[in-house]
Amino acid sequence: MAELADAVKSIGNALGAIFRHLLPGVLALSAIATARPFWFVKVDVSKAEWLVVLGVLAIVIGNVWFVLHRYVIQQIVDWFFWFCKAEGGPKRGEGYGVGIANHVWRFFSAPNVSEDIREHIRFRTSSVVLMYITAEVASVAALLAENESVLRSGRWWVLGAAIVIFAAAVWQNYLTRRIEGKVANGHA
């Protein structure tokens, strides 16, 4: 039974890595193919070499988008929360950089925090990142849609939906920050 639990945990960890790094690339490629169909005229998904090329592109684009999002866009949102003295995250009395370092240290070294709570925070964090990236990808696709694209006629609806999704991601980011703060400050 323990072997099955370990196997399930291993699969979950592998899927988590795929979720974080491949899915944004698949989203981006799908949005690009929808918005800029001219770029994909020669792509033939019935040929293995095209699937390999698209897979490599999805991994590269997904990783780059994830990193740029996490350490630019989401960092700006986090700094804004810190500047506005929102609960959780780095403490306001410290400089932002020092506060981040101290917050991460407090969060990961917090004693007596159940693995269920840590897993919940990891899942929420990954979900928030996916929400942000979905909104960003939809925005870019709507703004860059070619005349022949199915997005062209509904681009403002797509952009509106992207704004709503981005706002929801900011709200969930705030809630996740509050939960992390409780853990980091020993209230879990």
Side-chain angles (χ1 to χ4, degrees):
M1 193 61 151
E3 289 176 16
L4 179 60
D6 290 342
V8 168
K9 188 174 182 176
S10 248
I11 291 169
N13 290 339
L15 289 176
I18 291 169
F19 178 72
R20 282 188 300 279
H21 299 289
L22 181 61
L23 191 54
V26 170
L27 279 173
L29 277 179
S30 300
I32 292 167
T34 304
R36 311 289 287 181
F38 179 74
W39 291 0
F40 288 83
V41 171
K42 294 183 181 179
V43 173
D44 181 0
V45 294
S46 68
K47 294 184 178 175
E49 57 267 18
W50 275 110
L51 291 176
V52 170
V53 168
L54 291 173
V56 169
L57 282 173
I59 291 168
V60 170
I61 292 170
N63 277 296
V64 169
W65 203 308
F66 176 86
V67 168
L68 290 176
H69 162 77
R70 181 63 190 97
Y71 296 108
V72 176
I73 304 297
Q74 203 168 352
Q75 203 72 57
I76 290 168
V77 171
D78 191 63
W79 177 87
F80 178 76
F81 287 147
W82 171 82
F83 183 78
C84 293
K85 301 179 182 178
E87 286 186 53
K91 293 182 178 175
R92 186 67 169 104
E94 306 169 319
Y96 182 71
V98 170
I100 285 286
N102 289 337
H103 171 72
V104 169
W105 176 258
R106 283 190 307 271
F107 177 77
F108 284 104
S109 64
N112 303 322
V113 177
S114 77
E115 186 55 34
D116 289 342
I117 290 173
R118 291 187 189 277
E119 185 60 34
H120 174 77
I121 292 170
R122 281 191 287 272
F123 179 77
R124 283 185 73 92
T125 302
S126 292
S127 298
V128 169
V129 170
L130 184 60
M131 289 172 70
Y132 275 121
I133 290 174
T134 300
E136 294 159 9
V137 165
S139 298
V140 170
L143 293 173
L144 297 179
E146 292 176 342
N147 289 334
E148 299 79 25
S149 167
V150 296
L151 292 180
R152 187 65 178 191
S153 63
R155 74 186 310 165
W156 298 113
W157 287 104
V158 173
L159 195 56
I163 291 168
V164 169
I165 293 168
F166 192 87
V170 170
W171 173 245
Q172 289 302 316
N173 194 155
Y174 171 74
L175 294 176
T176 302
R177 176 188 171 93
R178 298 277 313 263
I179 296 167
E180 283 182 6
K182 290 282 188 187
V183 170
N185 295 318
H187 300 295

